[in-house]
């Protein structure tokens, strides 16, 4: 939580001159400060993670991952029959690469989002897969995991 | 015939193993500042019952002796009641400085003492796909690790 406050404070410091002007004009409002905080880049990322049910920021593409950890995420999603997800190759865009780390306050790639909410990286997705939690979370998104059908067939 | 050929090769291969110098990551005399820092910080912050800090850089497309890719196993009662994400965030926060400078990849296994005792195993990391080879930001990180 502290890091969220610190990054918010950094945001506010950089927008101080606008804030002071607003104060002088008597236009103090938290809403305005929040608007000043979010840059075009951050707003864009917010749209990106909310646009699709499953969003992955990775190195490379699902067809050609460029990193073992990103590949693991792709393979896990594939195992569950999740093929229709949005993926963004951070190697193509350094702004997105750095921006997403700041956005989710998470230092590494890959990053997985479900319904606009940050889920975690490769380790977390793998553990969710192993524990069965991933099937449940996909169900909440309205996605039926292919593993459920595999289980049915084997019975 | 194959088995006799193998018998011939075996003594030669063992001689080769003896004369080959220890790989960087196995050589105890090589300094490991980043690994030491990780160990110290995690010990202090999370008071773990069990801690493993493994330098996996040799498994990736970086020069020998790099300290860029790590796997940590932390077993701590402080993880009780925390979700996976919360646990990982705790570890990330502890190693914030290193993650923003020299650590390129950090694999985390964060378990409670009960989870660890019921399953004392460390998950294997996925194989490298050579991404670091094409990553121009790696040079900076590797330098930060050495300085």
């Amino acid at each position: 939580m502290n890091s969220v406050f610190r990054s918010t404070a950094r945001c506010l410091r950089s927008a101080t001159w606008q804030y002071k002007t607003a104060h002088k004009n008597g236009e103090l409002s938290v809403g305005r400060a929040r608007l000043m905080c979010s840059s075009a880049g951050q707003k864009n990322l917010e749209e990106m993670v909310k646009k699709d049910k499953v969003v992955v920021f990775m190195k490379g593409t699902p067809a050609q991952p460029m990193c073992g950890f990103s590949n693991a995420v792709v393979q896990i999603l594939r195992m569950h029959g999740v093929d229709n997800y949005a993926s963004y190759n951070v190697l193509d865009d350094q702004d997105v690469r750095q921006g997403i780390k700041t956005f989710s306050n998470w230092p590494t790639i890959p990053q997985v989002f479900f319904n606009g909410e940050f889920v975690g990286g490769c380790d977390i997705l793998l553990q969710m897969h192993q524990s069965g939690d991933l099937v449940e979370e996909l169900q909440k998104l309205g996605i039926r995991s292919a593993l459920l059908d595999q289980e049915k067939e084997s019975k | 015939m194959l088995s006799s050929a193998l018998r011939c090769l075996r003594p030669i291969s063992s001689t080769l193993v003896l004369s080959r110098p220890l790989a960087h990551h196995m050589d105890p005399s090589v300094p490991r500042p980043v690994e030491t820092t990780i160990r110290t910080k995690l010990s202090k912050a999370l008071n773990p019952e069990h801690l493993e800090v493994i330098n996996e850089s040799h498994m990736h497309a970086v020069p020998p002796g790099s300290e860029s890719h790590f796997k940590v196993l932390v077993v701590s009662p402080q993880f009780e009641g925390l979700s996976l994400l919360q646990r990982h965030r705790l570890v990330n926060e502890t190693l914030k400085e290193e993650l923003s400078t020299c650590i390129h990849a950090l694999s985390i296994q964060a378990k409670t003492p009960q989870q660890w005792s019921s399953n004392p195993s460390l998950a294997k990391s996925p194989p490298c796909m050579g991404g670091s080879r094409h990553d121009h930001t790696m040079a900076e990180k590797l330098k930060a690790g050495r300085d």
Side-chain angles (χ1 to χ4, degrees), chain A residues 3-4 7-8 10-11 37-51 55 57 95-109 111-119, chain B residues 89:
Chain A
S3 56
V4 173
S7 61
T8 312
R10 259 200 302 274
C11 243
C37 254
S38 59
S39 64
Q42 284 260 318
K43 253 178 133 182
N44 197 21
L45 285 169
E46 207 171 321
E47 281 168 15
M48 282 160 85
V49 306
K50 288 186 172 159
K51 229 169 27 148
V55 179
F57 289 81
D95 287 337
V96 167
R97 183 176 182 175
Q98 191 45 56
I100 197 63
K101 291 177 183 178
T102 310
F103 180 80
S104 36
N105 190 25
W106 188 263
T108 49
I109 303 291
Q111 294 192 13
V112 182
F113 291 79
F114 285 171
N115 260 354
E117 203 178 305
F118 180 62
V119 170
Chain B
R89 283 204 186 280

Side-chain angles (χ1 to χ4, degrees), chain A residues 10-41:
Chain A
R10 259 200 302 274
C11 243
L12 287 169
R13 272 200 296 276
S14 64
T16 307
W17 70 267
Q18 283 169 310
Y19 185 78
K20 277 183 179 159
T21 316
H23 190 185
K24 280 190 189 145
N25 299 342
E27 289 169 55
L28 259 181
S29 91
V30 174
R32 191 183 163 87
R34 226 182 283 135
L35 189 63
M36 287 188 288
C37 254
S38 59
S39 64

Side-chain angles (χ1 to χ4, degrees), chain A residues 40 119 139 147-148:
Chain A
V119 170
Q139 207 150 34
L147 293 186
L148 289 170

